[in-house]
Amino acid sequence: MRSWMNEPLRAHTTFQIGGPAEELAAPESEEELLALLARAPALVLGAGSNLLVRDAGVAGLTVLLGKDFARIEIEGETIFAQAGARLSHLAQQAMRAGLAGLEFAAGIPGSVGGAVAMNAGAYGGQISDVLEEARVAVDGKIVVFPREAMEFGYRTSLPLAQKLVVAGARFRLHRDDPAAIAARMADFAQRRREKQPLSLPSAGSVFKRPEGHFAGALIEGAGLKGLRVGGAQVSEKHAGFIVNTGGATAADVLALVETIRARVREKYGVELEGIVKHIQDLLLRFTNAALKDTCKRVGGDPKRKLSPADRMIGSATLCQSMTQYTFNSDKSGRMPSGQGGQHCPCRETWQVMPCSRRRTGGERGGMFSNDGHSRYL
């Protein structure tokens, strides 16, 4: 198993944006993957598409399922791939073996694990059409999920909804002439080149398709094609993409996304939902854990709603740059003045959690800060 310290994640994402991973580890087997997941909460990367990493990077552990976790095996009319295998490589292998069904996936810039979790699709095909079973890490072991148990939906699945890691998948395909399969793949590739901004780094389509609409058409109709914030730009070729024109930061992309959502909401009354929303959910899950720990370290009991037997003694806060966890004893729910911390000049509150203590307990205030928790986007 290979590992790196302070590895720039921009080198591992299709957006080419993001700060360093404090620790990046690349397992070569399911046993190594399970051991890493048992160590600590971790961000799991595959091809790094549909992913925006914050400029400050990721503290703690990041697991990379890449070329060391990319075995492909063909048996009869089925093909198995580990999670790190690229979809394009998988589709090519199937084509050479005369197995049809994965042509739609040849141009999707993702890995097998991410594609299964998101039920990736294009040109009328999607992963759920061909998946036979998936191998998923659950509570320290690998569990085989048949297709019927995956709860597939539009760009979602049970592993995605439950924050589970897909370790591999088997696909059931059907026989066809390799030349015919190659011709269909070439047709899809030509259409992709004509319509998508493949010459610039991006994370793929930014938004899910709203019911009854196409996100790109709404964005273009709102006059946002070509709109730029810093190095991030709404693609002039396809408005459903945000591209990195050079030197874009995560802050640029996030600001542009919020502008797009606001303008589309104002013009059409449609709420655009980001395809990378599950990464935001990971952020919330791990920062919640860190804030609860902050409350406990000062003797409090983190509770969203206080019972009659409890009294609020203050609040745990997380700054906007996600580098400072602070206990604020004045109960205001704000980052204490001047306490952005030596690690963080922003002094802006990102998230607040009330801290309480049983009424029989005594006062205990003060400030606790910690720069060692995982944080994601």
Side-chain angles (χ1 to χ4, degrees), residues 15 116 311 346 351 375:
F15 232 148
V116 171
R311 54 196 293 273
C346 75
Q351 189 181 353
R375 43 197 183 268

Side-chain angles (χ1 to χ4, degrees), residues 287-307 310-316 327 352-358:
T287 54
N288 273 346
L291 291 173
K292 287 180 180 179
D293 181 63
T294 300
C295 281
K296 291 176 181 177
R297 290 288 290 273
V298 296
D301 180 18
K303 294 186 178 181
R304 290 297 182 184
K305 294 181 180 180
L306 303 182
S307 72
D310 295 320
R311 54 196 293 273
M312 185 172 177
I313 62 171
S315 58
F327 177 71
V352 178
M353 174 177 286
C355 300
S356 67
R357 180 179 288 116
R358 301 287 295 182

Side-chain angles (χ1 to χ4, degrees), residues 58-109:
V58 178
L61 176 64
T62 300
V63 176
L64 176 64
L65 299 181
K67 63 181 181 180
D68 297 333
F69 204 88
R71 186 180 78 256
I72 295 175
E73 298 174 348
I74 297 173
E75 183 177 346
E77 294 188 354
T78 68
I79 184 168
F80 171 81
Q82 287 183 302
R86 296 297 179 102
L87 280 180
S88 57
H89 189 202
L90 181 68
Q92 288 288 338
Q93 293 279 80
M95 180 269 291
R96 295 189 187 103
L99 295 176
L102 282 169
E103 294 91 322
F104 73 89
I108 296 177

